[in-house]
Amino acid sequence: MTDQHAGDRYEIEQLLYRYAWMADKRKWELMDSVFAPDATVDYTSTGGKKGPYRPTLEWLHRALEGWPVNLHFTSNISIEIDGDHANCRCMFLAPMARQRADGSQEVITNAGYYFDKLTRGPSGWRIAERVCTQTVQMGQLPPGYAIPE
């Protein structure tokens, strides 16, 4: 591996962690430092939306409003770099929690893969296409709960 590839891999890993921080802490002002201008996101495996990143992240914001505690864990990162483009696969584990009326905590955890196509531009690496493939959900959504539109 060249020093350039090592630097690219580090920058891509930091990009994946920035996405997790953005989503968990609702730091939507970071979205342009995560996604390329014409990027798309696909959350359909979670019951969510697919489309251009801005309106899709607006949906994600609404979907997460009822779950104020979020912790994304990103691991098993695999990166294939080809010039200014890269393909990346990583696993995610994402517990979500909220308080019940009795004071106890309700938790569900989603897990799966992110499949990303990345591009390097003047500001560094950005996600051009993200496909979330949820493979596991631990716990049940509360009875009557509907994922927001």
Side-chain angles (χ1 to χ4, degrees):
M1 176 182 337
T2 67
D3 287 344
Q4 177 64 45
H5 275 116
D8 288 337
R9 288 177 188 284
Y10 174 79
E11 188 176 336
I12 290 168
E13 288 174 358
Q14 294 306 303
L15 173 67
L16 301 176
Y17 302 147
R18 189 164 53 250
Y19 167 86
W21 180 252
M22 176 192 72
D24 288 347
K25 295 310 227 176
R26 313 312 194 266
K27 299 260 185 200
W28 306 118
E29 66 273 13
L30 296 175
M31 72 174 74
D32 292 332
S33 72
V34 173
F35 292 97
D38 58 349
T40 61
V41 184
D42 181 349
Y43 293 119
T44 55
S45 72
T46 68
K49 301 287 185 187
K50 173 183 177 179
Y53 79 97
R54 283 187 179 281
T56 306
L57 291 179
E58 289 169 7
W59 166 84
L60 182 62
H61 176 73
R62 291 190 304 277
L64 294 176
E65 280 181 322
W67 301 91
V69 178
N70 298 104
L71 297 170
H72 266 84
F73 297 91
T74 304
S75 68
N76 298 47
I77 300 169
S78 173
I79 303 167
E80 296 175 6
I81 299 170
D82 183 12
D84 289 337
H85 301 279
N87 290 312
C88 180
R89 177 193 72 239
C90 66
M91 293 180 176
F92 71 88
L93 179 71
M96 305 185 316
R98 63 188 189 172
Q99 293 299 121
R100 293 185 178 115
D102 67 5
S104 65
Q105 195 174 58
E106 181 171 28
V107 179
I108 61 171
T109 301
N110 299 310
Y113 299 93
Y114 290 127
F115 295 98
D116 297 320
K117 292 182 181 178
L118 305 142
T119 186
R120 180 181 19 216
S123 299
W125 288 99
R126 299 291 184 267
I127 298 171
E129 177 184 307
R130 168 159 276 196
V131 176
C132 173
T133 303
Q134 180 178 307
T135 58
V136 174
Q137 181 178 335
M138 295 171 266
Q140 297 288 326
L141 290 171
Y145 181 86
I147 297 173
E149 286 294 318

